[in-house]
């Protein structure tokens, strides 16, 4: 899976977004949590 990462600086959350499906996202306090949420 290919994804891109964003950081919401106001909420201090990482956001992982699937590049093939923009509606498939995962968030977490760490990059690892965001990617794991994206893959599940």
């Amino acid at each position: 899976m290919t994804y891109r990462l964003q950081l919401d600086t106001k909420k201090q959350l990482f956001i992982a977004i699937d590049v093939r499906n923009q509606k498939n996202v995962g968030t977490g306090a760490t990059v690892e949590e965001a990617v794991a949420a994206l893959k599940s």
Side-chain angles (χ1 to χ4, degrees):
M1 172 186 290
T2 304
Y3 55 87
R4 63 186 173 93
L5 293 171
Q6 291 182 340
L7 173 61
D8 183 335
T9 56
K10 290 185 180 186
K11 296 180 182 177
Q12 293 296 307
L13 283 176
F14 287 97
I15 305 165
I17 304 165
D18 186 345
V19 296
R20 295 179 191 216
N21 180 1
Q22 300 284 322
K23 294 180 182 179
N24 187 15
V25 298
T27 60
T30 65
V31 172
E32 292 83 4
E33 288 178 5
V35 172
L38 174 65
K39 291 181 178 180
S40 62

